[in-house]
Amino acid sequence: MGTATRTVVFTDLANYTAKVARSDREGLRRILQEHEALVNPVVQRYGGRIVKNLGDSFLILFHAATEGLRAALDVQDLVTKTAGMGIRLAMTTGDVEEIDGDAFGECVNLAARILSKTPAGEIWFGAGTWVCMNAAEIPWESVGRFRLKGIPGDQEVFRAVPTHKAWLPDAVSAAVKM
């Protein structure tokens, strides 16, 4: 397919390794099937595509940053409430080389490196996504600048804030009510 601008999302189940250590083969299959059954419909609803399954993680592509973030927020909520498992998601937007259904490039590497810093229960994203997203639709905040393995320079990283955890400072809230 060639090079295209995409939002690259990685998911990762929290404490997966510990759960696998306590599970038999059937339990492992059940965890992975449940994860895919929860994630795939949300990804499709927002126009995304699961590129590949990486055990307890997925590599997902979206055509738009805002759709990727909205899907990530829904996946986080659904997996936490339905499966009772923690999940971390990380993404960035930029050029992706799509070859034989797979995704490659600096953007994919950056999203994976952001995931390595993302705490369980959070959604972190890079500056490419921040620039491309509709900030009026997604509450967000900066989490700082990070040096990420194999990525040149410091990278600014942001966090999507679920609506139920977002708040407005009193002065802004009062101004909105006027």
Side-chain angles (χ1 to χ4, degrees):
M1 180 170 196
T3 304
T5 301
R6 298 282 184 259
T7 296
V8 177
V9 178
F10 280 98
T11 70
D12 181 55
L13 291 175
N15 300 319
Y16 172 78
T17 303
K19 285 181 192 252
V20 168
R22 294 187 311 265
S23 294
D24 60 15
R25 288 177 288 175
E26 187 56 38
L28 170 61
R29 285 187 199 98
R30 194 172 34 257
I31 291 168
L32 295 175
Q33 288 169 348
E34 184 175 271
H35 180 50
E36 186 167 1
L38 291 172
V39 172
N40 198 34
V42 174
V43 168
Q44 289 180 6
R45 182 170 56 245
Y46 287 100
R49 171 177 75 87
I50 294 177
V51 173
K52 60 184 163 186
N53 181 322
L54 305 161
D56 67 320
S57 302
F58 291 111
L59 165 58
I60 306 165
L61 294 180
F62 289 91
H63 290 284
T66 302
E67 298 309 301
L69 281 161
R70 290 175 66 206
L73 286 162
D74 284 0
V75 163
Q76 180 188 52
D77 186 56
L78 191 62
V79 168
T80 301
K81 286 180 180 173
T82 306
M85 298 174 73
I87 187 169
R88 65 183 51 94
L89 298 99
M91 67 186 75
T92 198
T93 304
D95 284 350
V96 174
E97 191 69 28
E98 294 184 60
I99 302 170
D100 296 328
D102 207 345
F104 302 92
E106 187 175 336
C107 183
V108 176
N109 296 337
L110 178 55
R113 296 297 187 230
I114 293 171
L115 183 69
S116 73
K117 299 288 186 187
T118 305
E122 296 199 9
I123 301 165
W124 284 18
F125 57 95
T129 299
W130 181 79
V131 167
C132 294
M133 68 187 255
N134 183 337
E137 292 184 41
I138 310 290
W140 60 273
E141 62 189 4
S142 174
V143 292
R145 298 184 71 78
F146 295 87
R147 184 160 291 289
L148 303 169
K149 182 180 173 187
I151 307 294
D154 289 346
Q155 299 294 314
E156 185 157 16
V157 179
F158 304 87
R159 170 183 18 232
V161 180
T163 306
H164 70 280
K165 292 184 178 181
W167 60 275
L168 292 173
D170 291 338
V172 174
S173 183
V176 171
K177 292 178 184 177
M178 292 184 167

